[in-house]
Amino acid sequence: MRSEDFFEILVRQHASMLTAYLRSLAFDETLVDDAFQETLITAWRRIDEFDRERPFGPWMRGIARNTLLALARKKRRYKTHLVALLEERVAAQMNHIDARSGDTFAERMETLRDCIASLNEEHRDAVDLVYVRGMDSRTAATAAGLTDETFRKRLYRARLALADCLRTKGAFIDEVSA
Amino acid sequence: MNNIPDDLLHDEFELVSENPKRAADSAAVHGLLSLLGPDENTCTKLRVRRAMDAIRNDGTALRRWRIGSWSKSARAAVVLAAASLALVFLVLQVEESNAEDVLAKLVDATQRMTNRSYTVSTRQFSQQYGFETRATLDLGSDGRFLFSFLDSPQRPDSSGRAMRNPMMDDFRPMFGFDGDSFWMAAPRNRYVQGKDPGVMRQLLFTEESTDSTVMTLEPILELLQDGYEVRMNRPKRDATGRLIVVVDAHRHPREASPRPINSGKVPHGKAKGDPRGGRFHRDMWHDAPPRDVRIIVDGSNYEIISLDARWTGNDKQVNRQVVIEEGTPHAYDSSWFDASGHGLEETQFLEREDGMGGPMRGVGDPSRGKRPRPRPDQG
């Protein structure tokens, strides 16, 4: 088996979390796609630097962070300084999910689904319209009978409620260690 | 999850200075939620494939990644995962071989095959979007076959995003050859049947999408006979001990478009009336040819185990892929390939005249061409 085949196996195992990480920090799907590809290519080129005693996911997301910042600088509308402000905690939450022993990725998502089920109806509907059915915010707002701004605020509160739930279930951490 | 609007995270970013922890947690939740979206698994696989294609096409792919220094558990995990993918990633030493002989063996074996089932996945993707349409292909005796879509076919819009045809919503086309004539279940409870394989192509491609390339095995094999560099690798055993042969075909860079229909030689095509060769298969093949095709063959009888065909765009990135893989054969049933065995009794029957380009009576006008079963061409 060739080296790149081994690499692909590892990448497949961590691809979903990489996508989630990039989407957490970039609100532009094109940027996410570009960063995803650049991250994998960079990771392959620097694979000799990878400490094989350490987990692969955080190492790859570290590369993704730098890749995202580099790509974002080329896009005027992207507020690159915000990545730095948010990244440490987002990365910590992703790493914590990655490190949960015995969990497959599907099981981790099952925890998220449990939390969605525990939301109140308004929040659950908002999450369903956008993230499950794939509507854009304007269409989802219309479907919910709300203005776009009101809908987005509702969706934000739904995400905060989900974060609280994930924290309660141990999937998120409360404090990021220095 | 391609529809997440760009502005959805503005709220978080506005709140960063106010409560960065909550903003970051909300952003992390946003990322996780995005994985719940429709076709997300397919999109992720396609992203990985695109990136790996770029890596493999780059000289840096030649570097060796030494796993000898890995921890025992890391090695075990990778070896375990690798074993499950061994069939796909087997790297075989190339051995020069006569391409014509190889393809002749493959075509002969494919024409002999009976009672076989394959899954067919057609994946299309642009820079941002990707989607997959799945189908099954069942092969019976005397040329009988049944091709069934498992999803409502989709087609890309101008940006490459999957777009459903409202006329096809919840409809999963099915077509085949029952030993006597070709038939196809079409949208809006229509059913067509005729001696000409164009019955299927006309309805499937003109009403749904000219991009919905339907690929069975022989069209590709026929295609590879012209304009491709075909190499057969030395036989090896896969993870299950089965002797396999990997055949790689790469399209010559300057090769022109494939042969037009009904022109030039078709060495292994059969005469009209045999649905597995000749015009039928060329008829089903109407798009630009794939750049690379990898076929994994059972080394004992040259039957196809899997086939992976990839198309590339001007940017050299793969933009379409068709994967055909051997599945578990259905229990043989004589009605397996017969349209009457698929719950179509209540559908409208339409007959198409023989001959390419001939009129298809009744199409578009439910009042015409309606006939009771049994089929008129049977009496």
Short mmCIF file of all heavy atoms in Angstrom, two decimals, chain A residues 12 45 77 110 119 129 133 137 147 159 169 173 175:
data_model
loop_
_atom_site.label_atom_id
_atom_site.label_comp_id
_atom_site.label_asym_id
_atom_site.label_seq_id
_atom_site.Cartn_x
_atom_site.Cartn_y
_atom_site.Cartn_z
N ARG A 12 -9.96 10.31 5.80
CA ARG A 12 -11.38 9.96 5.78
C ARG A 12 -11.95 9.89 7.19
O ARG A 12 -13.10 10.26 7.42
CB ARG A 12 -11.58 8.62 5.08
CG ARG A 12 -11.48 8.67 3.58
CD ARG A 12 -11.54 7.26 3.00
NE ARG A 12 -11.36 7.25 1.56
CZ ARG A 12 -12.36 7.37 0.70
NH1 ARG A 12 -13.59 7.49 1.15
NH2 ARG A 12 -12.13 7.37 -0.59
N ARG A 45 2.11 17.31 2.52
CA ARG A 45 3.48 17.78 2.30
C ARG A 45 4.28 17.83 3.60
O ARG A 45 5.50 17.71 3.58
CB ARG A 45 3.46 19.17 1.66
CG ARG A 45 3.03 19.13 0.21
CD ARG A 45 2.96 20.50 -0.40
NE ARG A 45 2.63 20.43 -1.83
CZ ARG A 45 2.02 21.37 -2.49
NH1 ARG A 45 1.67 22.49 -1.89
NH2 ARG A 45 1.77 21.23 -3.77
N ARG A 77 -14.02 40.81 2.61
CA ARG A 77 -15.16 40.86 3.49
C ARG A 77 -15.01 39.94 4.70
O ARG A 77 -15.82 39.96 5.60
CB ARG A 77 -16.43 40.48 2.72
CG ARG A 77 -16.41 39.09 2.14
CD ARG A 77 -17.61 38.89 1.23
NE ARG A 77 -18.85 38.80 1.99
CZ ARG A 77 -19.40 37.67 2.36
NH1 ARG A 77 -18.83 36.53 2.04
NH2 ARG A 77 -20.52 37.65 3.05
N GLU A 110 -24.99 11.47 17.35
CA GLU A 110 -26.20 11.03 18.04
C GLU A 110 -26.44 11.89 19.28
O GLU A 110 -27.58 12.22 19.59
CB GLU A 110 -26.04 9.55 18.42
CG GLU A 110 -27.34 8.79 18.57
CD GLU A 110 -28.23 8.92 17.33
OE1 GLU A 110 -27.74 8.76 16.20
OE2 GLU A 110 -29.42 9.21 17.53
N LEU A 119 -34.69 20.39 22.40
CA LEU A 119 -34.96 21.82 22.23
C LEU A 119 -36.46 22.09 22.28
O LEU A 119 -37.28 21.20 22.02
CB LEU A 119 -34.43 22.29 20.87
CG LEU A 119 -32.92 22.33 20.65
CD1 LEU A 119 -32.61 22.67 19.19
CD2 LEU A 119 -32.26 23.34 21.58
N LEU A 129 -35.15 23.49 9.76
CA LEU A 129 -35.30 24.16 8.47
C LEU A 129 -33.95 24.44 7.81
O LEU A 129 -33.77 24.22 6.61
CB LEU A 129 -36.06 25.48 8.64
CG LEU A 129 -37.56 25.38 8.97
CD1 LEU A 129 -38.13 26.74 9.30
CD2 LEU A 129 -38.31 24.75 7.80
N ARG A 133 -33.00 20.45 6.57
CA ARG A 133 -33.62 20.57 5.24
C ARG A 133 -32.78 21.38 4.27
O ARG A 133 -33.05 21.41 3.08
CB ARG A 133 -35.00 21.19 5.37
CG ARG A 133 -35.93 20.38 6.25
CD ARG A 133 -37.34 20.86 6.14
NE ARG A 133 -38.17 20.29 7.17
CZ ARG A 133 -39.49 20.37 7.18
NH1 ARG A 133 -40.11 21.02 6.23
NH2 ARG A 133 -40.18 19.84 8.16
N SER A 137 -31.37 31.13 4.94
CA SER A 137 -32.01 31.78 6.08
C SER A 137 -33.29 32.52 5.67
O SER A 137 -34.28 32.53 6.40
CB SER A 137 -31.05 32.75 6.77
OG SER A 137 -30.74 33.82 5.91
N THR A 147 -39.41 37.46 10.28
CA THR A 147 -38.47 38.25 9.48
C THR A 147 -37.12 37.55 9.52
O THR A 147 -36.84 36.72 10.41
CB THR A 147 -38.31 39.66 10.06
OG1 THR A 147 -37.71 39.56 11.35
CG2 THR A 147 -39.66 40.38 10.15
N ARG A 159 -28.73 27.53 18.88
CA ARG A 159 -27.36 26.99 18.94
C ARG A 159 -26.79 27.10 20.33
O ARG A 159 -26.07 26.21 20.80
CB ARG A 159 -26.48 27.72 17.92
CG ARG A 159 -26.74 27.32 16.48
CD ARG A 159 -25.60 27.76 15.56
NE ARG A 159 -25.46 29.20 15.50
CZ ARG A 159 -26.05 29.98 14.58
NH1 ARG A 159 -26.83 29.44 13.68
NH2 ARG A 159 -25.87 31.28 14.60
N LYS A 169 -24.00 17.06 28.60
CA LYS A 169 -23.76 15.65 28.28
C LYS A 169 -22.27 15.32 28.17
O LYS A 169 -21.91 14.21 27.80
CB LYS A 169 -24.46 15.30 26.96
CG LYS A 169 -25.98 15.28 27.06
CD LYS A 169 -26.61 15.00 25.70
CE LYS A 169 -28.13 14.94 25.78
NZ LYS A 169 -28.62 13.77 26.53
N ILE A 173 -16.73 21.14 26.53
CA ILE A 173 -16.09 21.50 27.81
C ILE A 173 -16.53 22.91 28.19
O ILE A 173 -16.98 23.69 27.34
CB ILE A 173 -14.56 21.42 27.70
CG1 ILE A 173 -14.05 22.24 26.50
CG2 ILE A 173 -14.11 19.99 27.60
CD1 ILE A 173 -12.55 22.29 26.40
N GLU A 175 -14.50 25.12 30.33
CA GLU A 175 -13.36 26.02 30.30
C GLU A 175 -12.24 25.42 29.47
O GLU A 175 -11.99 24.22 29.54
CB GLU A 175 -12.83 26.27 31.73
CG GLU A 175 -13.78 27.09 32.60
CD GLU A 175 -14.03 28.48 32.02
OE1 GLU A 175 -13.09 29.04 31.41
OE2 GLU A 175 -15.14 28.99 32.19
#
